[in-house]
Amino acid sequence: MSEVSTKPFGDALRELMDARSLTYRALAEATREIDGRGITHAHINMLANGHDKPSIRAMELIAWVCGVEPDYFAEYRLAAAMRELDPAEVGLEQALENLNARLGARRRAGATARPARPPQAQARPTG
């Protein structure tokens, strides 16, 4: 299994559960052992079937039980990026710094791995 998933949360969760032979109830019990509250098996079922959006806490608990980092989940990576770019979370100056850092990294990556342009259509002489 790869270090990160690009699949929707429910698909990634079901794959992790299948790989570890976990049922909804077993996963729920394991999350309860971590923090005393855990996640109910009904909620895990809703998450796995795409009927509910996972919270940061839910993704972290599930990741810990399944032995992966929380950023295994694409939704977790997206939430982290949104948080670091949110002025209400980190302040305007830090949000701008974070945005500039991301854009700079993207530009540097694009400069080294720029895809080839598709060939341009040539006009044919008429007549």
Side-chain angles (χ1 to χ4, degrees):
M1 194 165 291
S2 69
E3 293 181 32
V4 296
S5 174
T6 57
K7 295 182 178 182
F9 182 79
D11 294 345
L13 172 57
R14 286 192 309 277
E15 281 185 3
L16 286 173
M17 290 176 66
D18 287 346
R20 288 153 180 78
S21 300
L22 288 169
T23 64
Y24 295 131
R25 289 186 188 278
L27 181 55
E29 180 58 35
T31 63
R32 208 170 3 270
E33 290 173 9
I34 292 173
D35 74 351
R37 293 183 321 163
I39 306 168
T40 68
H41 74 279
H43 188 220
I44 293 171
N45 183 312
M46 297 288 283
L47 294 171
N49 290 298
H51 298 297
D52 204 355
K53 180 180 172 188
S55 67
I56 297 277
R57 176 182 167 272
M59 289 186 280
E60 290 173 346
L61 287 172
I62 290 168
W64 290 327
V65 168
C66 292
V68 297
E69 292 295 319
D71 67 359
Y72 172 82
F73 300 112
E75 289 83 349
Y76 190 88
R77 296 189 307 275
L78 178 60
M82 289 172 60
R83 200 174 31 221
E84 77 177 31
L85 297 174
D86 184 355
E89 290 281 331
V90 298
L92 180 59
E93 292 296 320
Q94 186 62 54
L96 289 171
E97 274 185 45
N98 294 342
L99 176 60
N100 285 329
R102 283 183 173 272
L103 290 174
R106 190 172 188 181
R107 284 185 195 114
R108 285 188 298 279
T112 59
R114 186 164 289 186
R117 287 185 158 190
Q120 296 291 324
Q122 298 295 321
R124 288 202 242 175
T126 59

